[in-house]
Amino acid sequence: ASLTLNIPLDLNLPLYSAKLSTVGAGAGGQGATIDGGTHSWKLLYSSSVQQTALWQGIMPSYWNGSRLFLDIDSITSSATINQDTDDIVLSAQIMRLAPRGVNLNTDSYRVAFSSQIVVQGTPGFGDRSTIDLTDFDGLLAGESFKLKLDRLTADANDVYINKFEIIGLRLRDK
């Protein structure tokens, strides 16, 4: 008899390890900003231009290839928020890097998944949003990957005029 383990995938994506790239950020795009100042690490996304952050990793060998979710913990420092209208739009993509010999200098993400997120209305208090990643570029357990997270400021639904502050990211399968 064989033993099958059902270990849930739960990968922390440290904010301080993000690659702040202009590649793939769209016309005039730029990298998001890491803020390691007072209180906690933050990844800041501007409201004026599309910004991008990338993470690289290796999918654990115990991952069973099931659907992935990206949890985004965020706060705001602005005291002027209308929770009925102040939304942002984030897009997440996964690119398989190994073993097919992908050129790391070229983006070849298959599908982008976007989510309209309602910005939390109380300064300093957190909120969690989730993007459902149903396509992960054929990624298998034990293979390298890149995850790209963009703020889509050109989207008509992205109307929040302040910086969006991410305080935590987690990739999970349940």
Side-chain angles (χ1 to χ4, degrees), residues 134-164:
T134 56
D135 185 314
F136 29 87
D137 198 20
L139 180 65
L140 300 173
E143 292 185 338
S144 296
F145 68 94
K146 280 197 310 188
L147 182 135
K148 179 168 112 170
L149 185 63
D150 295 310
R151 179 173 178 184
L152 304 179
T153 55
D155 188 295
N157 293 310
D158 190 310
V159 295
Y160 182 56
I161 61 170
N162 296 300
K163 289 183 179 174
F164 184 66

Side-chain angles (χ1 to χ4, degrees), residues 15-16 34-44 73-75 124 165-168:
L15 301 179
Y16 52 79
I34 294 175
D35 177 359
T38 310
H39 305 298
S40 64
W41 288 96
K42 298 176 193 168
L43 185 61
L44 307 176
D73 290 350
S74 62
I75 63 168
E165 303 174 31
I166 295 176
I167 58 169

